[in-house]
Amino acid sequence: MDMQDLARKGLVLLGCGKMGSAMLQGWLDGGLPAGSVWVIDPNPSDWLQSRGVHINADLPETPAIVLIAVKPQMMGDALPAIAAMGNGDTLFVSVAAGTPISSFEQALGAQSPIIRAMPNTPAAVGRGITAIIGNDHAKAGHLDMAEQLLSAVGQVVRLDTEDQMDAVTGVSGSGPAYVFHMIECLARAGEAQGLAPDLAMQLAKATVAGAGALAEAANETPAQLRVNVTSPNGTTQAGLEVLMNEDNGLPPLMTDTVRAAADRSRELRND
C-alpha cells in the first residue's frame, strides 16, 4: 500500500481534535487529496470545514485506512459503520491513548489488521514522536504505511511488544508535561534570583527549546554536550552538583516520575 492506494481507496479519520487536525494538516500538505479523506466528528471545527474533506458523510465501503483518534467508548454511532469494514483489507490505526489492541479486535473483528500508535503533543507543531506496534494481521506493508502517515507529525519508532507501550507512555507520552513543568520551575528559580517574571519565562522557554534542538542536531551525546558547557569549578558545575545528586537530585526524581506514569498506564490497562 502506498499514498496512491490511499488516495484511491480513501482514508477515514474518526475524531478530529488537536491530534487528528495536526495529522490531517500534515497529510494534506504532503499531497493527499482532500477528496480522499472522510472525517467523522460530532463537532467539526471551522478549520476542518474549510479543508475540503468529506465531513460526517457516507463512508467508502473499504477504505485503505481508518485512523481512530477517539477512545472506543466515544465511537458510539460511528462504530457500526466502522465495524463493517473489519476482518478485511482495511487497516485500522489507533492513536487512542491507553486502549489495547485487544479492545479493537473485539470491536472490529480479530482478523482485522490493527496498529496501535502512541503519539505525543509536540505532534501539533510537527515535532512529535510516535511509537507503533501491530497485531498479527498487520504486515510489513501496513506498518510502513502507518509509519509514513504518522511521519507527517514527527519521528516514528517501532516497538517489539505491546507491553512496551506503558514505558513509552511514561517517557514520551507524558514526557512533554514534565518538560513544561521544568520550564515553569526554571523560570520561578530565575524570579527568585531577581529577574522579572516575563524575562525569566522567556529565558526558560528558549533555553529548554534550544537545548532540545541542539541535542537532536548534534553528533555528540547529551552527556557530552553537558560536559562541553561545564567548566571546572564554574557556574554550571555548581548548578549540576545539586541537579545531578544521586540521592536527592534529578536522577532518582526522574526514575520515580517515569515509573509512576508507566505504573498508572499498566493499572488503567488492567482495569
Side-chain angles (χ1 to χ4, degrees):
M1 193 193 301
D2 57 22
M3 276 294 184
Q4 283 156 329
D5 267 350
L6 194 57
R8 193 176 73 253
K9 292 183 179 174
L11 181 149
V12 175
L13 182 56
L14 193 53
C16 197
K18 283 184 182 171
M19 188 65 70
S21 297
M23 290 190 290
L24 179 57
Q25 181 69 62
W27 304 332
L28 296 175
D29 289 348
L32 184 64
S36 298
V37 179
W38 279 257
V39 176
I40 302 177
D41 194 287
N43 302 299
S45 65
D46 292 344
W47 175 85
L48 178 60
Q49 291 177 351
S50 69
R51 293 302 96 180
V53 300
H54 304 275
I55 302 173
N56 299 326
D58 289 341
L59 301 178
E61 278 186 28
T62 53
I65 292 182
V66 173
L67 196 134
I68 301 166
V70 292
K71 289 198 159 83
Q73 58 268 34
M74 303 290 288
M75 286 192 222
D77 299 340
L79 190 57
I82 301 297
M85 302 166 185
N87 294 330
D89 294 331
T90 298
L91 169 65
F92 297 89
V93 179
S94 163
V95 295
T99 307
I101 288 172
S102 57
S103 293
F104 291 105
E105 287 180 334
Q106 286 167 8
L108 304 167
Q111 307 304 307
S112 309
I114 299 168
I115 291 173
R116 181 180 168 194
M118 165 69 74
N120 63 0
T121 53
V125 291
R127 297 295 303 272
I129 186 161
T130 303
I132 61 173
I133 183 79
N135 69 352
D136 291 343
H137 295 282
K139 305 304 180 199
H142 291 131
L143 286 159
D144 290 345
M145 189 69 220
E147 181 168 335
Q148 192 177 344
L149 273 180
L150 294 163
S151 291
V153 291
Q155 301 177 44
V156 180
V157 294
R158 301 188 187 195
L159 304 182
D160 298 320
T161 66
E162 193 179 3
D163 287 349
Q164 293 174 310
M165 268 306 173
D166 299 310
V168 169
T169 301
V171 176
S172 60
S174 301
Y178 314 155
V179 178
F180 300 147
H181 185 55
M182 184 166 182
I183 293 171
E184 289 180 281
C185 292
L186 193 54
R188 281 207 300 265
E191 284 183 58
Q193 294 303 313
L195 296 176
D198 288 355
L199 175 58
M201 182 57 77
Q202 185 180 354
L203 289 169
K205 280 183 183 175
T207 299
V208 172
L214 181 57
E216 276 217 318
N219 291 323
E220 299 104 319
T221 62
Q224 186 58 49
L225 292 171
R226 171 177 53 75
V227 169
N228 293 352
V229 297
T230 309
S231 308
N233 298 316
T235 57
T236 308
Q237 183 175 326
L240 284 174
E241 281 173 3
V242 177
L243 193 68
M244 293 177 68
N245 188 298
E246 290 288 344
D247 296 321
N248 58 10
L250 193 59
L253 191 61
M254 197 53 79
T255 300
D256 290 348
T257 297
V258 173
R259 181 194 299 118
D263 283 349
R264 184 70 184 125
S265 177
R266 290 181 193 102
E267 281 171 22
L268 292 170
R269 173 160 55 87
N270 294 326
D271 278 355

